[in-house]
Amino acid sequence: MGSLVPFQDLNLQPEPTNPRIIPKIEPKLEPLDEYTQADLQTPPFFPNPSPNFSSSGSGSSPFTCNSNVLLPTSSTVHEIPPLGSDDTTVYSEYNRISELFKEAFARKMQQQQRFGEIEVVGRNHQDSENQDLGVIAEEVVVEDPDSRALVPVSNENNQVSEVVVTKRKYQQRSSELVRVTDLKPEDQVYFRDAVRKTRMLYDSLRILAMAEDEGSQHLGTYRRPRGDLKACQILREHGLWMNRDKRIVGAIPGVLIGDVFFFRMELCVVGLHGQAQAGIDYVPASQSSNREPIATSVIVSGGYEDDQDGGDVIIYTGHGGQDKYSRQCVHQKLECGNLALERSMHYGIEVRVIRGFKYEGSGSASGKVYVYDGLYRIVECWFDIGRSGFGVYKYKLVRIDNQEEMGSAILRFAQNIRMRPLEARPTGYVTLDISRKKENVPVFLFNDIDDNHDPAYFEYLAKTVYPPYVYQNVGSGCECIDGCADNCYCALRNGGQFAYDYNGILMRGKPLVFECGPHCRCPPTCRNRVTQKGLRNRFEVFRSRETGWGVRSLDLIQAGSFICEFTGVVLTREQAQIFTMNGDSLVYPSRFPERWAEWGDLSQIYPNYVRPTYPSIPPLDFAMDVSRMRNVACYISHSSSPNVLVQPVLYDHNHVAFPHLMLFAMENIPPLKEISIDYGVADTDEWAGKLAICD
């Protein structure tokens, strides 16, 4: 091992000022991201959330959990002798009960041994350099409540045997360090698509689990919702965690600078940061080829009082030595993650930096979001006395040049735009609201490229205009006074389950969603009234050199959230043929691919999964004229890998052939990232006209 940086001897350090007696405690790992033991031991599976799921078939559903109880047979039942007053009777009763347990568990062990389900594990099987939380060793592991048992083995001394543990087989992280470079464009597209699909599956599982937990709370059973842990565990059990075969140094293929994660466990799923709680991810010395620990990533979350975050330059404090109040109480040691950072500096190995900070409306347990900010090099390491008077190790991290702008900086810049747009951008704004107060929030128009101001001259259309006959026979509504329940009329119209959770997040895409309408008695706060309320996020129409006009959000949008409605004037087939002769801009809803089926697709988890088919709708045989009246959605650009899907919704009428086209986020969309939609491919044998992407 190369020479280390000369550190001061702790034995020669003067006592801290105002010395106080402090009991010896276990140093914390990451003070602002605590998980309780109850959270980590949450049952891994949740009940079946979909009527389309069937318990038949060879595959087992991830939404059921069965436990077999081994009962003693008649041969193991003994008569209970009368209780005596002497000690002999007490010990005899104890031995009798012990024998009952031994016989019962011995038979269970014999049954499991036949199928190879038993594995003997030593007492000290955890690597001390890679410990996190209680049941988390390297990543979160939620154990089956029936997975542990004390099993007696017959021997001469009639003593109790070793501890036998039933363990699930998980793919372990590799200790081989690799660096991925020179990816071809098609490789970049492949890895990005793989990350997007994994994250979409994670969000789908998390949302379903959260909805199940929230439903139990409304029934009177309080349980802290931790859908992120459940989703993480299910993906791990099915071998869907990414980048497990190699320990990647540097950038993770498919993860881009600026990607935002609402839950820390998602960092483990994609392989960006493999520690569930510790701020330093590293290969321990016991697994390293040269027997030296190597750091690969760090999380900067402001959890240590001696941290200094200057953006491109970070003074990062090593881990360990804090009490439960995030105060330094003992000297840090040059070991584990601290030594790994020093070794990465010695060998010139870059580390990934993820910043975590509080964000309003994050929805996570810690109230924070995590942003990947790129690669940094450790250029300096030293030992210093911290603010609390105890020794800490400090590391100077400098961001590598020629990278994309930091995602955390973009989030802060977007916040300034929301609060003071003209101060944040003195030039470029054409108008601060092209909707002219027709939306709940203003829609900005920004152009710093040319003099084109066309979006400001169109009449803004907040809701789609349908032919009058569509509103005939609107029908009745639910009778829910305090809000809709799962057995109300509107729930039955949706197949017995609402499409949204209690936060207005789309749980699973459907062919059609029925929201509560004007004839329903439920209040405006009903969970089944989401899209009809209009915009909730602030958007900006901007001029782009690549796409003409584009749309980006000024808010951080969580996956599954409502974006906006795609509005226009609805035309029949005959009307559309006349309009196309005049060269008007028409949009054909039938050409939108059924991307809604991708949101909530659990086919990778459940082999018998069938995508929802109810409520069904006929082919959309109409067009939408956006040549004179339009809304912000008309300026969304086309992409074959979109971040927004089209979900048909009905609420103000019951004509299933003319649904509203509602847009929902397919992934977490950071502020100032362009929103894209898949308009589909125009078929030559379909209606005359072209696919209109407004510019």
Side-chain angles (χ1 to χ4, degrees):
M1 187 170 72
S3 61
L4 299 177
V5 180
F7 296 106
Q8 304 179 35
D9 188 351
L10 292 179
N11 295 323
L12 302 179
Q13 290 294 328
E15 288 296 324
T17 57
N18 300 325
R20 54 186 181 274
I21 300 176
I22 300 177
K24 183 178 180 180
I25 63 173
E26 187 69 21
K28 293 184 60 178
L29 296 175
E30 190 70 18
L32 293 184
D33 295 319
E34 291 183 332
Y35 300 111
T36 64
Q37 290 290 79
D39 295 334
L40 298 173
Q41 294 175 346
T42 302
F45 302 134
F46 38 89
N48 186 354
S50 171
N52 289 326
F53 282 41
S54 173
S55 59
S56 62
S58 58
S60 61
S61 170
F63 304 103
T64 59
C65 181
N66 299 323
S67 59
N68 298 323
V69 180
L70 185 62
L71 298 177
T73 60
S74 58
S75 61
T76 61
V77 178
H78 303 276
E79 290 188 5
I80 302 178
L83 296 178
S85 58
D86 56 341
D87 294 341
T88 304
T89 305
V90 175
Y91 287 122
S92 175
E93 178 67 10
Y94 170 79
N95 293 331
R96 187 191 66 81
I97 296 176
S98 299
E99 289 298 325
L100 288 176
F101 275 94
K102 289 180 182 180
E103 293 178 8
F105 283 110
R107 288 198 309 275
K108 182 67 174 179
M109 182 194 70
Q110 292 173 358
Q111 295 173 3
Q112 292 177 331
Q113 281 179 332
R114 297 171 186 172
F115 300 97
E117 299 175 358
I118 295 294
E119 178 184 359
V120 180
V121 180
R123 291 186 175 88
N124 298 323
H125 62 279
Q126 279 189 331
D127 186 349
S128 61
E129 290 186 320
N130 201 23
Q131 290 181 350
D132 275 319
L133 303 172
V135 295
I136 291 183
E138 181 181 323
E139 291 85 17
V140 63
V141 180
V142 184
E143 295 186 351
D144 190 320
D146 299 327
S147 64
R148 293 179 178 271
L150 291 177
V151 183
V153 177
S154 58
N155 51 49
E156 297 179 356
N157 298 327
N158 204 20
Q159 296 178 350
V160 179
S161 68
E162 290 284 340
V163 175
V164 179
V165 180
T166 302
K167 287 188 60 179
R168 293 189 177 97
K169 297 292 185 180
Y170 294 124
Q171 180 184 4
Q172 299 300 318
R173 295 180 73 191
S174 171
S175 59
E176 181 182 357
L177 294 176
V178 297
R179 181 182 285 108
V180 181
T181 58
D182 299 330
L183 287 177
K184 297 179 180 179
E186 56 269 24
D187 295 330
Q188 296 176 5
V189 173
Y190 169 80
F191 285 114
R192 182 61 177 174
D193 187 59
V195 170
R196 290 179 67 252
K197 289 181 178 179
T198 301
R199 297 188 65 184
M200 192 184 308
L201 180 58
Y202 171 85
D203 282 320
S204 299
L205 291 169
R206 177 187 57 79
I207 291 170
L208 290 172
M210 291 283 290
E212 181 63 31
D213 288 342
E214 290 172 349
S216 64
Q217 290 184 21
H218 284 268
L219 294 176
T221 304
Y222 178 78
R223 181 173 57 183
R224 186 182 182 186
R226 292 309 305 270
D228 56 321
L229 298 182
K230 290 183 179 180
C232 174
Q233 183 200 352
I234 293 174
L235 289 177
R236 189 183 187 195
E237 290 177 347
H238 287 79
L240 296 177
W241 282 25
M242 305 186 69
N243 302 307
R244 305 289 292 174
D245 53 344
K246 304 289 182 183
R247 191 75 68 100
I248 297 179
V249 172
I252 299 293
V255 179
L256 303 181
I257 295 176
D259 281 351
V260 179
F261 303 84
F262 280 82
F263 298 90
R264 180 159 177 169
M265 293 310 305
E266 194 177 1
L267 303 175
C268 300
V269 172
V270 301
L272 190 63
H273 187 83
Q275 297 292 333
Q277 190 184 29
I280 305 173
D281 189 16
Y282 64 99
V283 179
S286 60
Q287 300 179 17
S288 177
S289 59
N290 63 351
R291 317 307 297 175
E292 295 180 323
I294 299 296
T296 56
S297 63
V298 297
I299 292 182
V300 181
S301 60
Y304 285 80
E305 59 188 8
D306 294 295
D307 285 349
Q308 300 177 27
D309 189 354
D312 291 336
V313 179
I314 303 171
I315 305 300
Y316 187 80
T317 305
H319 66 189
Q322 285 195 334
D323 59 17
K324 62 181 181 180
Y325 301 107
S326 300
R327 296 175 302 194
Q328 202 71 28
C329 59
V330 295
H331 296 303
Q332 290 184 352
K333 299 179 181 180
L334 189 63
E335 60 184 12
C336 302
N338 295 342
L339 180 58
L341 287 175
E342 191 277 331
R343 291 289 84 194
S344 292
M345 179 195 69
H346 176 77
Y347 291 111
I349 297 177
E350 67 274 22
V351 294
R352 297 182 294 271
V353 170
I354 302 101
R355 281 185 170 86
F357 49 87
K358 296 287 184 178
Y359 193 88
E360 182 180 358
S362 68
S364 63
S366 61
K368 295 192 294 187
V369 296
Y370 300 90
V371 186
Y372 174 50
D373 274 346
L375 303 177
Y376 285 67
R377 291 197 187 279
I378 308 171
V379 299
E380 192 176 354
C381 172
W382 68 97
F383 184 84
D384 197 2
I385 299 300
R387 296 182 180 179
S388 297
F390 294 94
V392 295
Y393 286 94
K394 295 185 178 181
Y395 307 86
K396 184 177 182 181
L397 281 63
V398 179
R399 196 167 190 260
I400 298 176
D401 296 333
N402 301 321
Q403 298 186 81
E404 297 291 334
E405 187 176 1
M406 293 185 299
S408 58
I410 294 177
L411 259 67
R412 295 186 180 94
F413 180 60
Q415 184 179 11
N416 292 334
I417 295 177
R418 295 194 301 266
M419 299 175 61
R420 297 175 294 273
L422 296 181
E423 292 183 14
R425 286 174 170 166
T427 60
Y429 279 110
V430 179
T431 175
L432 294 181
D433 189 9
I434 62 174
S435 74
R436 298 177 179 87
K437 297 184 179 181
K438 293 182 179 179
E439 297 283 10
N440 301 325
V441 291
V443 180
F444 295 173
L445 177 61
F446 182 81
N447 184 0
D448 60 351
I449 296 178
D450 53 34
D451 296 329
N452 190 329
H453 299 165
D454 287 350
Y457 305 138
F458 288 92
E459 181 179 351
Y460 194 90
L461 189 64
K463 295 184 178 180
T464 299
V465 177
Y466 291 96
Y469 65 84
V470 171
Y471 294 95
Q472 298 176 0
N473 301 323
V474 293
S476 59
C478 65
E479 299 294 329
C480 306
I481 303 298
D482 299 328
C484 289
D486 291 335
N487 58 350
C488 80
Y489 170 74
C490 292
L492 297 178
R493 296 182 71 191
N494 284 286
Q497 182 187 43
F498 289 116
Y500 315 115
D501 67 4
Y502 290 96
N503 297 316
I505 300 296
L506 182 66
M507 293 190 293
R508 181 184 295 119
K510 291 185 175 183
L512 180 65
V513 171
F514 286 99
E515 290 191 4
C516 295
H519 297 279
C520 295
R521 300 186 62 184
C522 57
T525 57
C526 174
R527 62 176 292 193
N528 198 35
R529 298 180 184 269
V530 176
T531 63
Q532 58 191 267
K533 296 180 180 180
L535 295 186
R536 293 190 296 178
N537 299 296
R538 286 155 286 193
F539 294 99
E540 178 180 274
V541 178
F542 70 100
R543 190 66 171 169
S544 170
R545 299 186 187 275
E546 292 79 18
T547 60
W549 291 105
V551 178
R552 55 196 177 196
S553 173
L554 299 179
D555 294 298
L556 174 58
I557 301 177
Q558 189 171 3
S561 299
F562 172 62
I563 301 291
C564 66
E565 180 179 1
F566 200 113
T567 67
V569 179
V570 171
L571 305 176
T572 63
R573 174 186 287 268
E574 294 74 16
Q575 292 172 329
Q577 293 175 346
I578 298 174
F579 272 72
T580 52
M581 290 188 292
N582 297 330
D584 292 334
S585 300
L586 300 183
V587 174
Y588 302 100
S590 61
R591 290 175 176 167
F592 286 115
E594 294 181 341
R595 294 280 183 177
W596 57 262
E598 300 179 20
W599 182 249
D601 182 3
L602 303 181
S603 57
Q604 290 183 274
I605 303 297
Y606 187 61
N608 294 334
Y609 173 83
V610 178
R611 80 178 194 175
T613 58
Y614 183 87
S616 61
I617 59 175
L620 302 181
D621 194 21
F622 66 92
M624 298 176 64
D625 177 24
V626 294
S627 59
R628 295 169 181 82
M629 295 184 292
R630 58 179 63 167
N631 74 335
V632 61
C634 188
Y635 301 98
I636 297 178
S637 300
H638 167 76
S639 174
S640 58
S641 298
N643 51 22
V644 165
L645 61 87
V646 179
Q647 172 63 64
V649 175
L650 285 180
Y651 65 88
D652 55 349
H653 65 82
N654 291 324
H655 205 308
V656 294
F658 294 92
H660 293 268
L661 305 180
M662 301 301 186
L663 308 185
F664 286 83
M666 299 179 67
E667 59 186 59
N668 299 334
I669 304 178
L672 301 181
K673 181 178 181 179
E674 185 169 4
I675 298 174
S676 59
I677 189 174
D678 188 354
Y679 284 89
V681 179
D683 297 329
T684 56
D685 58 347
E686 204 175 342
W687 301 358
K690 65 177 183 178
L691 178 66
I693 304 176
C694 303
D695 60 3

